[in-house]
Amino acid sequence: MTFGEQPAYLRVAGDLRRKIVDGSLPPHARLPSQARIREEYGVSDTVALEARKVLMAEGLVEGRSGSGTYVREQPVPRRVARAGYRTGGTSTPFRQEQADAGARGTWESSSEQTGAPAEIAKRLGIEPGERVMRTRYVFRDAGEAMMLSTSWEPLAVTGRTPVMLPEEGPLGGSGVVDRMAAIDVVVDNVVEEVGARPGLAEEIMLLGGVPGHVVLVIGRTYFASGRAVETADVVVPADRYRLAYHLPVR
């Protein structure tokens, strides 16, 4: 193989990908069998198998037990708005952020006390194992799971206060900024880092999709006078949603 030449399996995968994109292989069409790929492209069984694996990893095709491999219908990406951190409202930040898009947002949540894992402790500036309130969310739009979130709040900040449980009490669901303000903790900075990785099995099960699909992960931390008071990981399917940020100019 000369410098710059693609391996055979990538060239085969590239040609099949082109056929999927241009509609020659439309959604729900059966992908050519391994034997057909071998004959059509003059490659070995190993090359044909690796080319199919590439398309599966990209989420372009899916295997159906006992039936074969089929072209997946590709969703049209929808926007997930990230519009800042408004205070004083009665709705949750999730609902505020989706209001402009006309989304019909609902969510499920569960909270429990636990020890902070090392990575989370580092983000919160506490010792590993210190007690935190962990809250898991599944956000839905018109019934479809669109986003997952797990948040951690140090109980050294919220413990034995009316806002210890994020979704219960007089300020349940009001968002971190307003809840912290109720206990005289003034949030003055928010940091978000956006990355991507393959979805974990449990994430894919909740969000729907194919194992190995890429998800966007927003690592968000709220600070009050330099002290982290909440950190969260927000997970969004990368093939179905795009993050849209509205940032004020100051």
Side-chain angles (χ1 to χ4, degrees):
M1 183 174 68
T2 60
F3 178 75
E5 182 181 350
Q6 282 188 319
Y9 77 95
L10 289 181
R11 285 188 279 110
V12 174
D15 190 64
L16 291 170
R17 184 189 304 111
R18 177 187 57 78
K19 292 179 179 179
I20 292 171
V21 172
D22 70 16
S24 301
L25 283 171
H28 311 297
R30 186 173 180 176
L31 196 72
S33 66
Q34 188 168 313
R36 178 71 178 274
I37 292 174
R38 183 190 64 212
E39 295 170 4
E40 182 175 344
Y41 293 95
V43 295
S44 66
D45 279 332
T46 300
V47 169
L49 178 61
E50 289 302 313
R52 287 156 60 93
K53 285 182 179 179
V54 168
L55 298 178
M56 292 188 74
E58 293 175 350
L60 295 174
V61 301
E62 61 184 352
R64 299 179 187 173
S65 180
S67 179
T69 305
Y70 293 80
V71 177
R72 293 183 67 240
E73 186 168 0
Q74 297 301 304
V76 177
R78 297 162 55 190
R79 294 171 66 252
V80 174
R82 307 291 292 170
Y85 303 91
R86 288 164 275 182
T87 62
T90 56
S91 63
T92 66
F94 168 71
R95 182 166 291 177
Q96 289 178 359
E97 289 171 354
Q98 302 310 307
D100 292 339
R104 291 162 286 175
T106 61
W107 63 94
E108 305 150 15
S109 67
S110 62
S111 297
E112 63 177 339
Q113 295 187 34
T114 186
E119 179 186 351
I120 298 305
K122 183 177 180 180
R123 286 161 58 172
L124 290 172
I126 61 178
E127 292 297 318
E130 280 195 37
R131 303 302 288 175
V132 294
M133 183 65 71
R134 180 180 64 198
T135 303
R136 292 190 170 111
Y137 296 87
V138 179
F139 296 100
R140 302 182 187 276
D141 177 21
E144 176 188 338
M146 60 174 292
M147 183 164 63
L148 307 176
S149 177
T150 304
S151 74
W152 297 265
E153 295 180 353
L155 287 173
V157 176
T158 61
R160 298 183 180 180
T161 74
V163 302
M164 185 173 72
L165 291 168
E167 294 295 321
E168 296 182 22
L171 288 175
S174 295
V176 174
V177 176
D178 289 332
R179 290 175 47 250
M180 293 297 166
I183 57 172
D184 298 323
V185 175
V186 179
V187 173
D188 53 19
N189 190 26
V190 185
V191 175
E192 287 194 353
E193 295 184 1
V194 181
R197 59 167 171 75
L200 304 178
E202 57 267 31
E203 294 169 342
I204 296 300
M205 181 178 68
L206 288 168
L207 293 168
V210 174
H213 262 190
V214 172
V215 295
L216 300 174
V217 182
I218 307 166
R220 180 200 66 209
T221 305
Y222 287 89
F223 294 89
S225 300
R227 180 184 188 180
V229 297
E230 190 258 16
T231 194
D233 283 335
V234 181
V235 178
V236 183
D239 65 330
R240 301 206 304 269
Y241 296 94
R242 297 289 182 268
L243 300 176
Y245 281 82
H246 299 269
L247 305 177
V249 176
R250 297 179 179 176

